[in-house]
Each structure stands twice: as structure tokens, then as C-alpha cells.
Amino acid sequence: MLKLLALSLFLVLSSPAISSEKDDLAAEARGLVKAFGGQLKQQLQAGMKGGGPLVAMDICNAQAPAIATAVGGSTGWKVGRSSLKARSENNRPDEWEMLAMLDFEKQKSAGKDMAAMENYVVIENSNGRIFRYMKAIPTAEVCLACHGENVKPEVLAKINQLYPMDQALGFKAGDIRGAFTLSKKLD
Ligand code: HEC
């Protein structure tokens, strides 16, 4: 009887239901990242084509947070972006996000493909359980107009006006620019 109890306890503790819940949530998060990233890219391309980085800056400034909210919508997900060197103060990382992104940097130094870099956990605290997910965002050539080493003076002026605490300059193509960050309260 005791043996049976011990066995069932073992089965509960090592229950695959818990890890599959996590994996299901990660799959959901990947879908949201795809939608969010796709819409950001579309807006950025339209802005750059329509008027260059100055016009696109206004779009990023106004649209990025709005798109994040819209993609989360009524799903219960909080959707956003963060960076170890953030432009917007609203995108500064908390401790878990910082550790996840430092780990991405470590993986990059070890030669790992950025496209495969993600991290997810279920965190339990006094407020209940929360699922958190991050996925690395690579820096492409098109990003350098606003995040690179040689940003045009008029673009720089606009950045300083909108983001006096900006840290998101000096990136090179192939750097990790930041990460998508998502969370969902579970119960
Ligand atoms: C036209 C200028 C512009 C271009 C080009 C641009 N960004 Fe940004 N980026 C911004 C602005 C403005 C913000 C701040 C948005 C906000 O207020 O949330 C930002 C914020 C971010 C953030 C959120 C973290 C932070 O620093 O606040 C990430 C990640 C990011 N950009 C990645 C990229 C990537 C990747 C590219 C290229 C594919 C890119 N950006 C191209 C202007 C630009």
C-alpha cells in the first residue's frame, strides 16, 4: 500500500501534464510572436518606404506599443519587447528578462543560432502562477538606421527628443537587438 502511494506520488510529481502545459503555452507564445513580429515588420517597412527613418520613427513610437496590446488582445497574454540596451524606458527588463537575455548573449558567444534562442518558465509566487516566454530578436541591416553606429543627425535628434534615456544605439547587423517578452497569468 505504501509502495503504491509512493508510486502514485512519483507519477503525480513527474506528471507529463505539467511539462506539456508548459510546451503548449510556449507554442501559443510562438504564434503570438509571429503575429506581433510580422505586424511590426510591415509597419516599419511601410514607414521606411514612405518617408525614411524619421517617418518610421513616429510609427515605431506610436505603433509598437499599440500593436503589442492589440496582439495580446483578450487572450490574457501580455506581449512586448525588451533589451539589455533599451530605447524606451517602458521596455527595460526586469530580473528574469535580464537573466534570459544575458543567457542569449552567452549562447551567441558559443556560436548558437539566434533564430533558435528562446526561454520559458512557469514562475510561482504569492500572486499565483505565471508563464513567461522570451525569444531573441536579431539585428538586421534595416535596423541600423535607428539602432546602428552611424545614425543620421536628424534621426538622432528625433530619438533624443522622444527617448531622452535611449540606450539602443551602436548595434551591428548580427547582434542580438533584444527579445520578445510574453507572459500569461495561469491561475
Ligand atoms: C525608424 C527607426 C527604427 C528602425 C528602423 C528600427 N527601430 Fe527598433 N525601435 C525604434 C523605436 C522608436 C523604438 C521604441 C518603441 C517603443 O517606444 O516601444 C524601438 C524599439 C525597439 C525594441 C524594443 C526595445 C527597446 O529598445 O525599447 C526592439 C527589440 C527593436 N526596436 C528592434 C528593432 C529591430 C530588430 C529593427 C530592425 C528589424 C528595428 N528595431 C528597427 C525605432 C526603430
Side-chain angles (χ1 to χ4, degrees), residues 44 48 52-57 60-61 64-65 81-83 85-91 137-140 142-147 155 162-163 166 168 177-179:
L44 182 66
M48 291 292 269
L54 271 182
V55 169
M57 183 81 65
C60 275
N61 170 247
R81 294 180 299 169
S82 188
S83 175
K85 288 167 67 186
R87 172 144 299 165
S88 167
E89 289 188 64
N90 297 330
N91 297 332
I137 303 175
T139 308
V142 62
C143 319
L144 303 182
C146 302
H147 294 298
V155 177
L162 291 169
Y163 304 96
D166 176 51
R177 173 59 192 88

Side-chain angles (χ1 to χ4, degrees), residues 8-69:
S8 58
L9 194 64
F10 172 76
L11 286 176
V12 169
L13 289 176
S14 62
S15 163
I18 293 174
S19 66
S20 89
E21 178 197 38
K22 227 170 98 172
D23 293 343
D24 287 351
L25 287 161
E28 241 183 89
R30 284 182 205 114
L32 289 167
V33 161
K34 221 171 183 176
F36 182 34
Q39 288 188 44
L40 282 175
K41 204 169 169 184
Q42 215 178 3
Q43 292 282 341
L44 182 66
Q45 277 169 353
M48 291 292 269
K49 225 172 142 185
L54 271 182
V55 169
M57 183 81 65
D58 279 327
I59 294 176
C60 275
N61 170 247
Q63 291 299 318
I67 295 171
T69 307

